[in-house]
Amino acid sequence: MSNVTDNLNALRAAIAAAEKKYGREPGSVRLIAVSKQKPAADIALAWRAGQREFGENYLQEAVAKIRELADLDIVWHFIGALQSNKTRDVAMHFDWVHSVDRYKIAERLAKQRAEDAIPLNICLQINLHDEPTKAGIHPGQAALLAEQIHALPRIRLRGLMAIPEPVEDFDAQRRAFGELTALRDSLNAAGHDLDTLSMGMSGDMEAAIAAGATHIRIGTAIFGARG
Ligand SMILES: *Cc1c(COP(=O)(O)O)cnc(C)c1O
């Protein structure tokens, strides 16, 4: 067995244990394997071990791998920074985009998504604590942006994504993720139907699951450290 297979098996056990511990429905947390900076061969190994959802950050690198692995049934998630001149490739090649943080980007994705394709799934990236170096909108801007995006064709607003400040303390991690959950709940109370909370990485996935994550994005714990 490869490392990747061992790592995936260990991770699946850890996810199942966390679901149980925190009263989550078994299977309610989906694993996105973040394969940025890793070769297509590593993705193929994970695929053979049963992994079907993969996340990529860098468009050029991602599109090359998506083409190379076109024969495999993979759900591709774009989780990186998104400039407006890159939206066409994202709309064409991906199933999900987790990093939408302005209307203009969503509008372009909607226009560029093929009419005969399944709608592109969208998450709004939220900058929970106004970190200046981080992408995402202020939580207070989410309601308006959600409202605007909801009206666009060919894309479907599914939920929220965040990358909180890395901290060691479990309770602090859980509190930060809880803020994203509360924001999702308030949007749903206002009439949205958001079923997705994309939160939790290798270092804080347990706290994210405790707080209600539906999609965790894990790179290092599957593929090892990046160069
Ligand atoms: C790289 C990355 C991840 C994965 O991080 P790991 O710590 O390697 O698990 C998750 N989400 C985003 C947005 C990333 O850029």
Side-chain angles (χ1 to χ4, degrees), residues 32 34-37 56-58 79-80 98-99 125 161-163 198 200-203 216-222 224-226:
I32 299 173
V34 177
S35 43
K36 63 179 176 219
Q37 295 176 249
E56 289 280 344
N57 292 59
Y58 308 110
I79 62 172
H98 293 237
S99 45
Q125 185 173 351
M161 181 274 243
I163 312 170
S198 168
M201 317 199 331
S202 295
I216 55 174
R217 309 176 311 268
I218 307 291
T220 311
I222 299 172
R226 291 175 292 270

Side-chain angles (χ1 to χ4, degrees), residues 1 32 38 44 59 78 86 106 113 129 164 194 201 216 221 227:
M1 271 203 305
I32 299 173
K38 298 294 178 183
L59 198 53
F78 188 78
K86 303 281 175 60
R113 183 71 168 177
H129 300 130
L194 306 183
M201 317 199 331
I216 55 174

Side-chain angles (χ1 to χ4, degrees), residues 29 51 56 76 96 119 150 157 203 212 218 222 224:
V29 179
Q51 179 64 26
E56 289 280 344
W76 292 101
W96 284 75
H150 188 70
L157 184 61
I218 307 291
I222 299 172

Side-chain angles (χ1 to χ4, degrees), residues 1-2 4-6 8-9 12 30-33 42-54 72-75 222-223:
M1 271 203 305
S2 73
V4 167
T5 306
D6 290 346
L8 270 173
N9 286 334
R12 286 173 187 144
R30 300 188 74 85
L31 173 61
I32 299 173
D42 285 8
I43 298 173
L45 274 178
W47 186 87
R48 263 178 254 137
Q51 179 64 26
R52 292 293 179 271
E53 305 202 45
F54 292 87
L72 305 186
D73 57 325
I74 288 178
V75 176
I222 299 172
F223 298 111

